[in-house]
Amino acid sequence: MRDVAIVAFSQTDHVRRSEEVSEVEMLMPVLHDVLERTGLRTGDIGFTCSGSCDYLAGRAFSFTMALDGVGAWPPIPESHVEMDGAWALYEAWVKLLTGEADTALVYAYGKSSPGSVRDVLTRQLDPYYLAPLWPDSVALAALQAQALIDAGETDEPALAAIAARSRTAAEGNPHAQLRGPRPQGGYVVRPLRTGDCPPVGDGAAAVVLAAGDRARELCPRPAWIRGMDHRVEPHALGVRDLTDSPSTRLAAERAGAFARPVDTAELHAPFTSQEVVLRKALRLGGSVTVNPSGGPLAANPVMAAGLIRVGEAAAAVHRGASDRALAHATSGPCLQQNLVAVLEGEPHVR
Amino acid sequence: MSAKEPVAVVGVGQTKHVAARRDVSIAGLVREAARRALDDAGLGWADVDAVVIGKAPDFFEGVMMPELYLADALGAVGKPLLRVHTAGSVGGSTALVAAGLVAARVHRTVLTVAFEKQSESNAMWGLSLPVPFQQPLLAGAGGFFAPHVRAYIRRSGAPGTVGSLVAYKDRRNALRNPYAHLHEHGITLEKVQSSPMLWDPIRYSETCPSSDGACAMVLADRAGAARAPHPPAWVHGGAMRSEPTLFAGKDCVSPQAGKDCAADVYRQAGITDPRREIDAVEMYVPFSWYEPMWLENLGFAAEGEGWKLTESGVTELDGDLPVNPSGGVLSTNPIGASGMIRFAEAALQVRGRAGAHQVAGARKALGHAYGGGSQFFSMWLVGAEPPAT
């Protein structure tokens, strides 16, 4: 299999609301920054792929405006997934594996502030039987959290500790929306408290991929993608064991995550309780640094948060903080769909 | 590193396209097409390694990211499931993303499905939500494209009758296609020409319908093709190109992205004279005048000459270069699936499995799709023989 690496990563500062900028204006500095890091220009990129969602933008074909921002002239080979940007990265990775391109630009963005993201996300549920009931994303996550507590997998103090650890770690992340120790707060939907839930916010991220020697030219220490896989589970919550994530486990196995231990993991667990599920599925021991960026509990721009996990894991490899990192992204209610990537830096002297 | 794995289309399935499929849910609709594609391939759900699904805007059915809800219906549980969205070109892009998985040897057998169930919502509403700080395009697709058609007529000097010839041809072709939405028995050229003017110069009968429907294909590697019960179609080239929606340098009549995309496909497929070497074309023609326009954009005719091919009967089913033997988008338009139907119909032609609308002896066929403001393009060229490696 062809060697492909992440050679650059950039993200916005994630904020609660960004009324003063359009999605394209929010994205543009990120695109410029990630290209500057590699010295590449739009015309040099072999393939471009993005992830976003019309339902956040409140209009059809919202990604067309972002493409204008990319500056697709002369015309570019380009595609889009209506999914988190982590899946756009997957599509770009496959494109590079075919040899049809040597470099790829991947970006994702989402603004949750114009609406109520809890309500908006109900529209992704079964349209005939579930969506008409408007069960919101926090309520569904609370079902999962309660199932975990009932199964003896966790308890409320343990969840509070996950929240505290994440937001303390985010002190070192200038892009994070919530940083530093915060009160756990009252119940949003029992057993989940404010601190167990991600902040609602706006943000964008971009990544550059390159194959083989091109990656070495563009980055002193490329984050080589050793494997990447994603799997989906049934949609109906009633037929799933919410205390487990077989799709994450299978994706990790296919991505080669269990072949050797990882030192760092960036997990897309918007709720504290979901980190419990993912740690078990991914067999992450105490020696693994989980979400040193603060994770989605510190910044969760919907549609970009998964790509940011991959980008943060890659950045840790780039700066020598990690030799073998795992990145995870999720989509759908209660971790329905999960992606796992394994990133490695070449051996180096610290 | 060896070359890419050759990709074969071993199964094709479609629903009967109609204005409203009230007898099935969205899940039932996509499953019907997928099941037919698997039957054609002689495979079961367990044989599929990954699923790639595409559709046009989520607002058309009012379901956000419907791939999540459709995971079960598409047999995707425990498998990778990707959801592509590139506006009207999405059906083609979806097939290309699926083909990439096989070409890269990530998976060996991939199911790809595209759909639209427009009757569950209101497409015009879905396309007309006001956006702050952007110019409104509330006239629908016809209002957006009519000025470009007028520009083509002025530029090429084409007689005003060409559009109706295309519509008359495509609607007659659709009568031979059991899956086509519009079956206008008793269609005449006079009926097309006397239909009401909607967006000058586009008449009612020169406009695509709004359909419910789904299309699916099973793509396989060389070993999968060898096991297939029916002749496969081989992918000889595939490409996507995008350009900005609106800018001063854009040629709305013949966008550069379309030209570049076709050139890339021909280069991959070793095509130097598309007019002679390609036997059938399934072209994305939602408004009849786009046939002569795309004939030029795709390199089948010189600039300003496309209408002459249409007028002389070259693009008829029994012509020298049949365009849209299936009846095309003019007869069937479940938007998100329309591009994949073009790709799938091209495959049926070279497999010799297009039934009553089969082009005799078709060995190479082009599938073409476009979307947005003529800014997104996806195409593939399929052949009856495996590509030379």
Side-chain angles (χ1 to χ4, degrees), chain A residues 1-8 89 93 96-97 102 208-228 255-256 260 262 310 313-318 322-327 340-348:
Chain A
M1 198 174 265
R2 202 173 184 215
D3 283 333
V4 176
I6 295 171
V7 295
L89 185 141
W93 175 65
L96 265 56
L97 291 181
D102 292 331
V208 173
L209 299 178
D213 289 340
R214 199 78 185 95
R216 294 183 186 90
E217 291 163 20
L218 296 172
C219 180
R221 192 172 193 247
W224 298 102
I225 300 173
R226 295 305 185 206
M228 183 157 35
R260 289 191 293 120
V262 297
V310 188
V317 172
H318 292 161
S322 170
D323 291 327
R324 183 171 156 90
L326 181 148
V340 174
V342 178
L343 307 174
E344 281 184 359
E346 272 159 8
H348 66 116

Short mmCIF file of all heavy atoms in Angstrom, two decimals, chain A residues 1-8 89 93 96-97 102 208-228 255-256 260 262 310 313-318 322-327 340-348:
data_model
loop_
_atom_site.label_atom_id
_atom_site.label_comp_id
_atom_site.label_asym_id
_atom_site.label_seq_id
_atom_site.Cartn_x
_atom_site.Cartn_y
_atom_site.Cartn_z
N MET A 1 0.85 -1.20 0.00
CA MET A 1 0.00 0.00 0.00
C MET A 1 0.88 1.25 0.00
O MET A 1 1.92 1.29 0.64
CB MET A 1 -0.91 -0.02 1.23
CG MET A 1 -2.09 0.90 1.14
SD MET A 1 -3.22 0.69 2.55
CE MET A 1 -4.42 -0.46 1.89
N ARG A 2 0.48 2.24 -0.76
CA ARG A 2 1.24 3.47 -0.89
C ARG A 2 1.30 4.21 0.45
O ARG A 2 0.31 4.28 1.18
CB ARG A 2 0.52 4.35 -1.91
CG ARG A 2 1.38 5.38 -2.57
CD ARG A 2 0.57 6.06 -3.67
NE ARG A 2 1.39 7.00 -4.38
CZ ARG A 2 0.94 8.14 -4.87
NH1 ARG A 2 -0.32 8.47 -4.75
NH2 ARG A 2 1.76 8.95 -5.51
N ASP A 3 2.44 4.81 0.76
CA ASP A 3 2.58 5.57 2.01
C ASP A 3 1.98 6.96 1.85
O ASP A 3 2.37 7.71 0.96
CB ASP A 3 4.05 5.70 2.40
CG ASP A 3 4.59 4.41 2.99
OD1 ASP A 3 3.79 3.65 3.56
OD2 ASP A 3 5.80 4.16 2.88
N VAL A 4 1.04 7.27 2.72
CA VAL A 4 0.40 8.58 2.69
C VAL A 4 0.48 9.19 4.09
O VAL A 4 0.33 8.48 5.08
CB VAL A 4 -1.08 8.46 2.26
CG1 VAL A 4 -1.79 9.81 2.33
CG2 VAL A 4 -1.18 7.87 0.85
N ALA A 5 0.75 10.49 4.15
CA ALA A 5 0.90 11.15 5.45
C ALA A 5 0.11 12.44 5.52
O ALA A 5 -0.19 13.06 4.50
CB ALA A 5 2.38 11.45 5.71
N ILE A 6 -0.23 12.82 6.74
CA ILE A 6 -0.75 14.16 6.99
C ILE A 6 0.46 15.06 7.20
O ILE A 6 1.32 14.79 8.04
CB ILE A 6 -1.67 14.17 8.22
CG1 ILE A 6 -2.91 13.33 7.94
CG2 ILE A 6 -2.05 15.60 8.60
CD1 ILE A 6 -3.79 13.09 9.15
N VAL A 7 0.54 16.13 6.40
CA VAL A 7 1.73 16.99 6.46
C VAL A 7 1.43 18.37 7.03
O VAL A 7 2.35 19.12 7.33
CB VAL A 7 2.40 17.11 5.07
CG1 VAL A 7 2.93 15.76 4.62
CG2 VAL A 7 1.45 17.70 4.04
N ALA A 8 0.17 18.72 7.16
CA ALA A 8 -0.16 20.02 7.76
C ALA A 8 -1.59 19.99 8.30
O ALA A 8 -2.45 19.29 7.78
CB ALA A 8 -0.03 21.14 6.73
N LEU A 89 -11.46 13.14 4.71
CA LEU A 89 -10.05 12.74 4.75
C LEU A 89 -9.90 11.29 4.30
O LEU A 89 -8.97 10.95 3.56
CB LEU A 89 -9.50 12.93 6.17
CG LEU A 89 -8.02 12.68 6.36
CD1 LEU A 89 -7.42 13.71 7.31
CD2 LEU A 89 -7.72 11.29 6.89
N TRP A 93 -7.69 10.04 1.25
CA TRP A 93 -6.65 9.02 1.48
C TRP A 93 -6.76 7.92 0.42
O TRP A 93 -5.77 7.51 -0.19
CB TRP A 93 -6.82 8.45 2.90
CG TRP A 93 -5.92 7.31 3.27
CD1 TRP A 93 -4.56 7.35 3.40
CD2 TRP A 93 -6.34 5.97 3.59
NE1 TRP A 93 -4.10 6.10 3.79
CE2 TRP A 93 -5.15 5.25 3.90
CE3 TRP A 93 -7.56 5.32 3.65
CZ2 TRP A 93 -5.20 3.90 4.26
CZ3 TRP A 93 -7.59 3.98 4.02
CH2 TRP A 93 -6.42 3.29 4.32
N LEU A 96 -5.46 9.09 -2.87
CA LEU A 96 -4.00 9.05 -2.94
C LEU A 96 -3.47 7.62 -3.07
O LEU A 96 -2.48 7.38 -3.75
CB LEU A 96 -3.38 9.76 -1.71
CG LEU A 96 -3.01 11.24 -1.93
CD1 LEU A 96 -4.21 12.06 -2.40
CD2 LEU A 96 -2.41 11.85 -0.68
N LEU A 97 -4.18 6.68 -2.45
CA LEU A 97 -3.77 5.27 -2.57
C LEU A 97 -3.87 4.77 -4.00
O LEU A 97 -3.09 3.92 -4.43
CB LEU A 97 -4.62 4.38 -1.66
CG LEU A 97 -4.43 4.52 -0.15
CD1 LEU A 97 -5.34 3.54 0.58
CD2 LEU A 97 -2.98 4.31 0.26
N ASP A 102 -1.09 13.00 -5.75
CA ASP A 102 0.02 12.91 -4.79
C ASP A 102 -0.21 13.78 -3.57
O ASP A 102 0.46 13.62 -2.54
CB ASP A 102 1.33 13.31 -5.46
CG ASP A 102 1.77 12.29 -6.50
OD1 ASP A 102 1.44 11.10 -6.35
OD2 ASP A 102 2.43 12.69 -7.48
N VAL A 208 -3.63 18.86 5.09
CA VAL A 208 -3.03 18.53 3.79
C VAL A 208 -2.43 17.14 3.89
O VAL A 208 -1.72 16.82 4.87
CB VAL A 208 -1.96 19.55 3.37
CG1 VAL A 208 -1.24 19.09 2.10
CG2 VAL A 208 -2.59 20.92 3.14
N LEU A 209 -2.73 16.30 2.89
CA LEU A 209 -2.17 14.95 2.79
C LEU A 209 -1.16 14.92 1.65
O LEU A 209 -1.32 15.63 0.65
CB LEU A 209 -3.26 13.93 2.47
CG LEU A 209 -4.42 13.73 3.43
CD1 LEU A 209 -5.40 12.71 2.85
CD2 LEU A 209 -3.91 13.25 4.77
N ALA A 210 -0.17 14.08 1.78
CA ALA A 210 0.77 13.89 0.67
C ALA A 210 1.29 12.46 0.70
O ALA A 210 1.33 11.82 1.75
CB ALA A 210 1.92 14.87 0.76
N ALA A 211 1.67 11.97 -0.48
CA ALA A 211 2.13 10.59 -0.60
C ALA A 211 3.66 10.54 -0.73
O ALA A 211 4.27 11.40 -1.36
CB ALA A 211 1.49 9.93 -1.82
N GLY A 212 4.24 9.52 -0.12
CA GLY A 212 5.64 9.17 -0.33
C GLY A 212 6.61 10.32 -0.13
O GLY A 212 6.53 11.08 0.84
N ASP A 213 7.53 10.47 -1.09
CA ASP A 213 8.57 11.49 -0.97
C ASP A 213 8.01 12.90 -0.94
O ASP A 213 8.61 13.81 -0.38
CB ASP A 213 9.57 11.35 -2.13
CG ASP A 213 10.43 10.10 -1.98
OD1 ASP A 213 10.51 9.59 -0.84
OD2 ASP A 213 11.00 9.65 -2.99
N ARG A 214 6.85 13.08 -1.57
CA ARG A 214 6.21 14.40 -1.56
C ARG A 214 5.94 14.82 -0.11
O ARG A 214 6.10 15.98 0.25
CB ARG A 214 4.91 14.33 -2.35
CG ARG A 214 4.38 15.65 -2.81
CD ARG A 214 5.12 16.17 -4.03
NE ARG A 214 4.64 17.51 -4.38
CZ ARG A 214 5.23 18.62 -3.97
NH1 ARG A 214 6.31 18.58 -3.20
NH2 ARG A 214 4.75 19.81 -4.32
N ALA A 215 5.53 13.86 0.72
CA ALA A 215 5.25 14.15 2.12
C ALA A 215 6.53 14.59 2.84
O ALA A 215 6.53 15.53 3.64
CB ALA A 215 4.66 12.93 2.80
N ARG A 216 7.64 13.92 2.53
CA ARG A 216 8.91 14.25 3.19
C ARG A 216 9.39 15.64 2.78
O ARG A 216 10.02 16.36 3.55
CB ARG A 216 9.96 13.20 2.86
CG ARG A 216 9.63 11.84 3.46
CD ARG A 216 10.71 10.78 3.21
NE ARG A 216 10.23 9.49 3.69
CZ ARG A 216 9.56 8.62 2.94
NH1 ARG A 216 9.29 8.90 1.68
NH2 ARG A 216 9.15 7.49 3.45
N GLU A 217 9.09 16.03 1.53
CA GLU A 217 9.46 17.37 1.08
C GLU A 217 8.66 18.46 1.79
O GLU A 217 9.14 19.56 2.01
CB GLU A 217 9.19 17.52 -0.43
CG GLU A 217 10.10 16.71 -1.34
CD GLU A 217 9.53 16.58 -2.75
OE1 GLU A 217 8.67 17.41 -3.13
OE2 GLU A 217 9.94 15.66 -3.46
N LEU A 218 7.42 18.12 2.12
CA LEU A 218 6.50 19.15 2.62
C LEU A 218 6.50 19.26 4.14
O LEU A 218 5.98 20.22 4.68
CB LEU A 218 5.07 18.85 2.14
CG LEU A 218 4.86 18.91 0.62
CD1 LEU A 218 3.47 18.40 0.25
CD2 LEU A 218 5.04 20.33 0.11
N CYS A 219 7.05 18.27 4.81
CA CYS A 219 6.94 18.25 6.28
C CYS A 219 8.17 17.57 6.86
O CYS A 219 8.58 16.51 6.40
CB CYS A 219 5.68 17.49 6.68
SG CYS A 219 5.39 17.37 8.45
N PRO A 220 8.80 18.20 7.88
CA PRO A 220 10.00 17.57 8.48
C PRO A 220 9.70 16.21 9.09
O PRO A 220 10.52 15.31 9.06
CB PRO A 220 10.42 18.57 9.56
CG PRO A 220 9.68 19.83 9.29
CD PRO A 220 8.46 19.47 8.51
N ARG A 221 8.55 16.07 9.70
CA ARG A 221 8.19 14.78 10.32
C ARG A 221 6.73 14.45 9.98
O ARG A 221 5.82 14.74 10.76
CB ARG A 221 8.39 14.81 11.83
CG ARG A 221 8.31 13.42 12.46
CD ARG A 221 8.71 13.42 13.93
NE ARG A 221 8.90 12.05 14.40
CZ ARG A 221 8.11 11.46 15.30
NH1 ARG A 221 7.10 12.10 15.83
NH2 ARG A 221 8.36 10.20 15.68
N PRO A 222 6.50 13.86 8.80
CA PRO A 222 5.12 13.57 8.40
C PRO A 222 4.45 12.58 9.35
O PRO A 222 5.11 11.73 9.94
CB PRO A 222 5.28 12.93 7.01
CG PRO A 222 6.68 13.22 6.58
CD PRO A 222 7.49 13.37 7.83
N ALA A 223 3.15 12.73 9.49
CA ALA A 223 2.36 11.78 10.28
C ALA A 223 1.81 10.73 9.31
O ALA A 223 0.77 10.94 8.67
CB ALA A 223 1.23 12.50 11.01
N TRP A 224 2.51 9.61 9.21
CA TRP A 224 2.14 8.58 8.24
C TRP A 224 0.86 7.87 8.66
O TRP A 224 0.73 7.44 9.80
CB TRP A 224 3.27 7.57 8.08
CG TRP A 224 4.52 8.19 7.56
CD1 TRP A 224 5.63 8.54 8.28
CD2 TRP A 224 4.78 8.60 6.20
NE1 TRP A 224 6.57 9.13 7.45
CE2 TRP A 224 6.07 9.18 6.18
CE3 TRP A 224 4.04 8.54 5.02
CZ2 TRP A 224 6.64 9.70 5.01
CZ3 TRP A 224 4.61 9.05 3.86
CH2 TRP A 224 5.89 9.61 3.86
N ILE A 225 -0.06 7.75 7.73
CA ILE A 225 -1.31 7.04 8.01
C ILE A 225 -1.04 5.55 7.84
O ILE A 225 -0.92 5.04 6.73
CB ILE A 225 -2.44 7.50 7.07
CG1 ILE A 225 -2.69 8.99 7.22
CG2 ILE A 225 -3.72 6.70 7.33
CD1 ILE A 225 -3.68 9.58 6.21
N ARG A 226 -0.92 4.83 8.96
CA ARG A 226 -0.61 3.40 8.90
C ARG A 226 -1.85 2.57 8.60
O ARG A 226 -1.76 1.44 8.14
CB ARG A 226 0.04 2.95 10.20
CG ARG A 226 1.40 3.57 10.47
CD ARG A 226 2.36 3.33 9.30
NE ARG A 226 3.70 3.81 9.60
CZ ARG A 226 4.58 4.19 8.67
NH1 ARG A 226 4.25 4.16 7.38
NH2 ARG A 226 5.77 4.62 9.02
N GLY A 227 -2.98 3.14 8.90
CA GLY A 227 -4.24 2.45 8.60
C GLY A 227 -5.40 3.36 8.92
O GLY A 227 -5.29 4.25 9.75
N MET A 228 -6.50 3.14 8.21
CA MET A 228 -7.70 3.94 8.48
C MET A 228 -8.91 3.11 8.06
O MET A 228 -8.90 2.48 7.01
CB MET A 228 -7.65 5.26 7.73
CG MET A 228 -8.83 6.16 8.05
SD MET A 228 -8.58 7.95 7.74
CE MET A 228 -7.55 8.01 6.33
N ALA A 255 -7.75 -0.92 11.06
CA ALA A 255 -6.76 0.15 10.89
C ALA A 255 -5.40 -0.25 11.48
O ALA A 255 -4.44 0.50 11.36
CB ALA A 255 -7.26 1.43 11.55
N GLY A 256 -5.35 -1.40 12.12
CA GLY A 256 -4.09 -1.86 12.71
C GLY A 256 -3.78 -1.27 14.06
O GLY A 256 -2.63 -1.30 14.52
N ARG A 260 0.30 -2.65 17.67
CA ARG A 260 1.28 -2.14 18.64
C ARG A 260 0.61 -1.05 19.46
O ARG A 260 -0.31 -0.39 18.96
CB ARG A 260 2.52 -1.57 17.92
CG ARG A 260 3.37 -2.66 17.29
CD ARG A 260 4.73 -2.09 16.82
NE ARG A 260 4.57 -1.15 15.72
CZ ARG A 260 4.95 0.12 15.77
NH1 ARG A 260 5.47 0.61 16.89
NH2 ARG A 260 4.79 0.90 14.73
N VAL A 262 -0.43 2.42 21.13
CA VAL A 262 -0.32 3.83 20.78
C VAL A 262 0.06 4.61 22.03
O VAL A 262 -0.17 4.14 23.15
CB VAL A 262 -1.65 4.37 20.20
CG1 VAL A 262 -2.00 3.64 18.90
CG2 VAL A 262 -2.77 4.27 21.21
N VAL A 310 -8.22 14.00 14.04
CA VAL A 310 -7.16 13.45 13.20
C VAL A 310 -6.04 14.48 13.07
O VAL A 310 -4.85 14.15 13.14
CB VAL A 310 -7.70 13.05 11.81
CG1 VAL A 310 -6.64 12.29 11.02
CG2 VAL A 310 -8.95 12.18 11.94
N ALA A 313 -4.02 14.71 16.31
CA ALA A 313 -3.14 13.54 16.44
C ALA A 313 -1.94 13.69 15.52
O ALA A 313 -0.79 13.41 15.91
CB ALA A 313 -3.91 12.26 16.11
N ALA A 314 -2.19 14.17 14.30
CA ALA A 314 -1.10 14.38 13.35
C ALA A 314 -0.14 15.45 13.85
O ALA A 314 1.09 15.30 13.76
CB ALA A 314 -1.66 14.76 11.98
N ALA A 315 -0.71 16.53 14.38
CA ALA A 315 0.13 17.63 14.88
C ALA A 315 1.02 17.15 16.02
O ALA A 315 2.17 17.59 16.16
CB ALA A 315 -0.74 18.80 15.31
N ALA A 316 0.50 16.24 16.84
CA ALA A 316 1.32 15.69 17.94
C ALA A 316 2.51 14.91 17.37
O ALA A 316 3.61 14.96 17.91
CB ALA A 316 0.46 14.80 18.83
N VAL A 317 2.28 14.20 16.27
CA VAL A 317 3.38 13.49 15.61
C VAL A 317 4.35 14.49 14.99
O VAL A 317 5.57 14.38 15.14
CB VAL A 317 2.83 12.51 14.54
CG1 VAL A 317 3.97 11.91 13.71
CG2 VAL A 317 1.99 11.42 15.19
N HIS A 318 3.80 15.50 14.33
CA HIS A 318 4.65 16.52 13.67
C HIS A 318 5.63 17.14 14.66
O HIS A 318 6.80 17.33 14.36
CB HIS A 318 3.79 17.65 13.09
CG HIS A 318 2.93 17.23 11.93
ND1 HIS A 318 1.84 17.96 11.51
CD2 HIS A 318 2.98 16.16 11.11
CE1 HIS A 318 1.28 17.36 10.47
NE2 HIS A 318 1.95 16.25 10.23
N SER A 322 4.33 12.67 19.86
CA SER A 322 3.80 11.31 19.74
C SER A 322 4.54 10.57 18.63
O SER A 322 4.89 11.16 17.61
CB SER A 322 2.29 11.35 19.40
OG SER A 322 1.83 10.06 19.05
N ASP A 323 4.77 9.27 18.87
CA ASP A 323 5.36 8.43 17.82
C ASP A 323 4.30 7.59 17.12
O ASP A 323 4.45 7.22 15.97
CB ASP A 323 6.41 7.50 18.43
CG ASP A 323 7.64 8.28 18.89
OD1 ASP A 323 7.97 9.29 18.25
OD2 ASP A 323 8.24 7.87 19.90
N ARG A 324 3.27 7.25 17.85
CA ARG A 324 2.18 6.43 17.29
C ARG A 324 0.88 6.88 17.95
O ARG A 324 0.66 6.66 19.13
CB ARG A 324 2.45 4.95 17.54
CG ARG A 324 1.41 4.01 16.92
CD ARG A 324 1.89 2.56 17.05
NE ARG A 324 0.79 1.61 17.01
CZ ARG A 324 0.32 1.05 15.89
NH1 ARG A 324 0.83 1.36 14.72
NH2 ARG A 324 -0.69 0.18 15.94
N ALA A 325 0.04 7.54 17.15
CA ALA A 325 -1.18 8.13 17.70
C ALA A 325 -2.41 7.52 17.05
O ALA A 325 -2.38 7.13 15.88
CB ALA A 325 -1.18 9.64 17.49
N LEU A 326 -3.48 7.46 17.82
CA LEU A 326 -4.76 6.98 17.30
C LEU A 326 -5.71 8.17 17.23
O LEU A 326 -5.77 8.98 18.16
CB LEU A 326 -5.30 5.89 18.22
CG LEU A 326 -6.65 5.25 17.83
CD1 LEU A 326 -6.67 3.78 18.29
CD2 LEU A 326 -7.83 5.99 18.46
N ALA A 327 -6.41 8.28 16.12
CA ALA A 327 -7.43 9.32 16.01
C ALA A 327 -8.77 8.65 15.72
O ALA A 327 -8.85 7.69 14.96
CB ALA A 327 -7.09 10.30 14.89
N VAL A 340 -11.48 5.19 12.64
CA VAL A 340 -10.22 5.12 13.40
C VAL A 340 -9.06 5.24 12.42
O VAL A 340 -9.04 4.57 11.39
CB VAL A 340 -10.11 3.81 14.21
CG1 VAL A 340 -8.73 3.70 14.85
CG2 VAL A 340 -11.20 3.73 15.27
N ALA A 341 -8.13 6.11 12.75
CA ALA A 341 -6.90 6.23 11.97
C ALA A 341 -5.70 6.04 12.90
O ALA A 341 -5.74 6.45 14.05
CB ALA A 341 -6.82 7.60 11.30
N VAL A 342 -4.68 5.39 12.39
CA VAL A 342 -3.43 5.21 13.14
C VAL A 342 -2.34 5.98 12.44
O VAL A 342 -2.09 5.78 11.24
CB VAL A 342 -3.06 3.72 13.26
CG1 VAL A 342 -1.74 3.57 14.00
CG2 VAL A 342 -4.16 2.93 13.95
N LEU A 343 -1.69 6.87 13.17
CA LEU A 343 -0.67 7.76 12.61
C LEU A 343 0.67 7.51 13.29
O LEU A 343 0.72 7.35 14.51
CB LEU A 343 -1.07 9.23 12.81
CG LEU A 343 -2.47 9.63 12.32
CD1 LEU A 343 -2.77 11.08 12.73
CD2 LEU A 343 -2.57 9.48 10.81
N GLU A 344 1.72 7.50 12.49
CA GLU A 344 3.05 7.27 13.06
C GLU A 344 4.06 8.26 12.51
O GLU A 344 4.01 8.62 11.33
CB GLU A 344 3.55 5.86 12.72
CG GLU A 344 2.95 4.77 13.58
CD GLU A 344 3.55 3.39 13.27
OE1 GLU A 344 4.42 3.31 12.37
OE2 GLU A 344 3.15 2.44 13.91
N GLY A 345 4.99 8.64 13.36
CA GLY A 345 6.14 9.41 12.91
C GLY A 345 7.30 8.47 12.69
O GLY A 345 7.38 7.41 13.35
N GLU A 346 8.20 8.81 11.78
CA GLU A 346 9.37 7.97 11.59
C GLU A 346 10.25 8.09 12.84
O GLU A 346 10.22 9.10 13.53
CB GLU A 346 10.13 8.42 10.33
CG GLU A 346 9.58 7.71 9.10
CD GLU A 346 9.89 8.42 7.80
OE1 GLU A 346 10.67 9.40 7.82
OE2 GLU A 346 9.34 8.01 6.78
N PRO A 347 11.03 7.04 13.13
CA PRO A 347 11.86 7.06 14.33
C PRO A 347 12.72 8.32 14.35
O PRO A 347 13.23 8.76 13.33
CB PRO A 347 12.73 5.82 14.19
CG PRO A 347 11.95 4.91 13.29
CD PRO A 347 11.19 5.80 12.37
N HIS A 348 12.86 8.90 15.52
CA HIS A 348 13.64 10.14 15.61
C HIS A 348 14.26 10.20 16.99
O HIS A 348 13.88 9.48 17.91
CB HIS A 348 12.75 11.35 15.37
CG HIS A 348 11.74 11.54 16.46
ND1 HIS A 348 11.72 12.62 17.29
CD2 HIS A 348 10.71 10.75 16.85
CE1 HIS A 348 10.72 12.49 18.15
NE2 HIS A 348 10.10 11.38 17.89
#
